[in-house]
Amino acid sequence: MTSPEAPRGSSPWSDLDRPPLREAALRSALVVDGSLWRDLRVVDRTESTNSDVAAAARAGSPEGLVVLAEEQTAGRGRGGRTWRAPARSGLALSVLLRPPVPRESWGWLPLLAGVSVTAALREPSGLDLGLKWPNDVLVDGERKLAGVLAEVVEDAVVLGLGLNVSLRRAELPVPTATSLALEDSEMLDRDPVVRAVLRELARRYRGFVTAGGDPDGPTEATGLRSAYRSACVTLGRAVRVELPGDKEASGEAVDVDRSGRLIVRDGDGTTNALAAGDVAHVR
């Protein structure tokens, strides 16, 4: 557990609870023959890793680029929300994918990323991790640990992840957020977190590609919709969903369809398939 009041300064080592990422070691572990990851860069500071990777995509960078930032000054979440955290207190990373599957299946990629994070961290952290539709990573079905942002850039997809590692309570952006440290995670070193997440993401992405983008692939490696259903703590709960255009839907979340849409059944038994929206779990 991190100390409540750790010293701050300009040196990466001034806060010993927040050491810098070891770029050379991460590259040696992840950028290897046969790996999905072809290039990995750690930058001290940037406005947004998603913006950096999007620019690389437009410039023709091949699939497999990973950019991590020790600090983001203009990180973005879903719905245009800003996302910022103290330097080295979490993971801000983005990856470049060029999926050779039908474009209509690309909407599953942010859900795949959420499944990958929960699967990668559940055992080593010792935490009860699940997903709020579409891809917020929650602890105990309530407190937000991480979020995913996906952007289509020409013929590529940029997946961004923001994960709270050593955030202290006073640093949380909202009271419903949390961090690995605040949850007494058994794993707080960011380097093994990066390795675990990127290896699991690569494994599941390759399974998805092997299945031709079919979320109902026949094997554990390709059965994305089944894995998502198992991880999604929204299913079976009463929800209120804020929809685009100042609309709202409420009812019971009963399923996720083949397009990744949340199926909500209202009190009259009518079902609605929701492609986008902010979900609130109703107690």
Side-chain angles (χ1 to χ4, degrees):
M1 185 78 174
T2 58
S3 58
E5 297 294 338
R8 299 295 304 276
S10 59
S11 167
W13 296 100
S14 62
D15 187 340
L16 297 182
D17 284 331
R18 293 172 174 169
L21 291 166
R22 296 175 283 271
E23 180 177 9
L26 289 172
R27 289 180 62 86
S28 294
L30 294 165
V31 185
V32 296
D33 288 345
S35 171
L36 172 66
W37 311 119
R38 299 186 182 187
D39 188 12
L40 184 149
R41 309 168 190 171
V42 177
V43 299
D44 288 335
R45 197 173 192 226
T46 189
E47 289 189 356
S48 163
T49 56
N50 258 39
S51 295
D52 294 345
V53 174
R58 294 186 186 97
S61 180
E63 180 175 73
L65 170 65
V66 182
V67 174
L68 301 104
E70 297 286 29
E71 183 179 14
Q72 284 192 130
T73 61
R76 291 172 288 128
R78 285 186 296 112
R81 299 181 183 90
T82 58
W83 185 84
R84 188 170 182 180
R88 304 180 304 282
S89 66
L91 289 182
L93 71 84
S94 298
V95 304
L96 173 58
L97 303 175
R98 296 189 182 276
V101 298
R103 202 176 182 96
E104 56 266 26
S105 67
W106 288 13
W108 272 100
L109 290 171
L111 281 68
L112 181 152
V115 170
S116 299
V117 174
T118 58
L121 300 185
R122 185 180 290 116
E123 184 175 344
S125 71
L127 301 178
D128 180 10
L129 301 180
L131 293 170
K132 183 177 80 169
W133 183 87
N135 48 41
D136 283 348
V137 179
L138 304 185
V139 179
D140 296 333
E142 299 294 339
R143 301 176 296 282
K144 183 174 176 178
L145 180 69
V148 174
L149 176 66
E151 298 180 79
V152 174
V153 181
E154 298 176 354
D155 62 345
V157 175
V158 177
L159 286 179
L161 169 68
L163 170 68
N164 299 329
V165 177
S166 66
L167 246 63
R168 298 152 191 144
R169 198 164 303 281
E171 297 169 332
L172 295 176
V174 293
T176 52
T178 191
S179 68
L180 291 175
L182 288 172
E183 298 293 337
D184 293 323
S185 167
E186 296 174 13
M187 180 170 65
L188 291 175
D189 186 337
R190 291 185 302 153
D191 283 59
V193 172
V194 172
R195 292 196 298 271
V197 167
L198 288 179
R199 283 170 175 159
E200 186 67 13
L201 177 58
R203 186 181 78 86
R204 290 185 180 270
Y205 174 69
R206 282 182 159 162
F208 183 62
V209 170
T210 297
D214 181 359
D216 293 321
T219 70
E220 188 275 335
T222 61
L224 177 55
R225 184 157 69 129
S226 175
Y228 184 86
R229 284 167 164 162
S230 296
C232 184
V233 297
T234 299
L235 297 182
R237 296 186 66 161
V239 298
R240 184 178 63 255
V241 187
E242 295 181 8
L243 304 172
D246 295 325
K247 298 180 181 179
E248 186 177 284
S250 61
E252 181 187 1
V254 295
D255 202 0
V256 174
D257 70 10
R258 280 182 52 82
S259 297
R261 297 178 299 180
L262 182 68
I263 307 301
V264 176
R265 183 171 56 216
D266 65 21
D268 296 329
T270 302
T271 58
N272 297 293
L274 308 179
D278 285 334
V279 170
H281 292 164
V282 180
R283 295 183 183 278

